[in-house]
Amino acid sequence: MTMWRWLVLGSLLTVVAAPVACRSGGPRFDADAMSSMVRTQVKLGADLYRQHCASCHGDDARGTHRAPALAGRGALPREPRLGS
């Protein structure tokens, strides 16, 4: 078979198979499980923050005389500044 025929055959198979694959169900998004996982991660993150960060950055992450704010006005930027 020539390269052209393989290309046409592959394209046709893709066009036919893609809609079938999309309707087959595939993995489902479970919103309840996801929200439970997010709640668990938030709780674990809050616990870690209290244990390792709050003593310097404050309970509300607004900074103290010992460390800068991580949230709110004057907080550290998401992306590091050039040269830092």
Side-chain angles (χ1 to χ4, degrees), residues 15 22 40 48 50 54 59 61 65 74-75 79 83:
V15 168
C22 290
T40 300
L48 286 171
R50 274 192 295 281
D59 291 333
H65 67 283
E79 299 296 324

Side-chain angles (χ1 to χ4, degrees), residues 14-15 18 20-21 23 28-29 34 37 42 57 60 63 68:
T14 301
V15 168
V20 172
R23 284 193 311 247
R28 301 245 186 242
F29 177 75
M34 183 60 73
M37 185 171 55
V42 168
H57 293 282
D60 60 358

Side-chain angles (χ1 to χ4, degrees), residues 41-62:
Q41 289 176 337
V42 168
K43 183 187 179 323
L44 291 172
D47 291 345
L48 286 171
Y49 180 84
R50 274 192 295 281
Q51 291 172 8
H52 302 284
C53 308
S55 62
C56 293
H57 293 282
D59 291 333
D60 60 358
R62 304 256 181 216

Side-chain angles (χ1 to χ4, degrees), residues 57 60-64 67-77 81:
H57 293 282
D60 60 358
R62 304 256 181 216
T64 66
L70 300 175
R73 179 172 240 174
L76 295 172
R81 294 184 180 108

